[in-house]
Amino acid sequence: QVQLVESGGGSVQAGGSLRLSCAASVLTYSMAWFRQTPGKEREWVTTIYPQVGSTYYAESVKGRFTLSQDKAKKTLYLQMNSLKPEDTAMYYCAASTSGAMSEVSEYTYWGQGTQVTVSS
């Protein structure tokens, strides 16, 4: 069982920044952030492979979001810059033991989510 706890969400104006954290009981093969707005499917944002440090981003956030990790603290950090109103969503941290990249169904463990609201 993997426990994930997100934090750092909040409200910010367009162009601002936020940093989300995901504290994990263990770092798994791959870990990711997804986001979801009411009535829409959960959308992949970014993935990291903790052992090698490789990161991957959705086109919609590339160049604005940066995913990093602190292995000693078993914590991921999602630095979000140049935020846009369309980034408004509940952000979820997820963990996969199979090395999944962006498929929601391949992530077994999920946090409770943290809300990000970007106003124009």
Side-chain angles (χ1 to χ4, degrees):
Q1 199 70 326
V2 178
Q3 282 79 46
L4 304 169
V5 179
E6 303 99 330
S7 61
S11 297
V12 64
Q13 289 198 326
S17 299
L18 283 173
R19 190 178 81 156
L20 306 184
S21 298
C22 172
S25 57
V26 62
L27 296 179
T28 58
Y29 192 168
S30 62
M31 301 186 71
W33 286 92
F34 290 80
R35 63 188 182 186
Q36 188 171 26
T37 54
K40 291 189 176 181
E41 293 187 353
R42 200 162 288 192
E43 173 192 21
W44 173 68
V45 176
T46 178
T47 295
I48 188 168
Y49 290 83
Q51 281 201 337
V52 296
S54 303
T55 53
Y56 303 85
Y57 300 92
E59 284 298 322
S60 58
V61 306
K62 199 173 290 184
R64 300 187 298 122
F65 290 13
T66 303
L67 181 58
S68 61
Q69 62 177 335
D70 183 327
K71 286 186 176 181
K73 295 183 178 180
K74 292 178 283 187
T75 299
L76 305 182
Y77 301 102
L78 181 61
Q79 179 66 43
M80 306 187 297
N81 298 330
S82 302
L83 282 162
K84 306 174 181 180
E86 51 264 44
D87 293 318
T88 295
M90 184 72 79
Y91 282 71
Y92 296 92
C93 181
S96 166
T97 56
S98 64
M101 169 69 90
S102 59
E103 286 295 324
V104 172
S105 61
E106 295 184 22
Y107 282 83
T108 307
Y109 303 100
W110 294 84
Q112 81 288 351
T114 186
Q115 178 68 38
V116 170
T117 302
V118 184
S119 57
S120 57

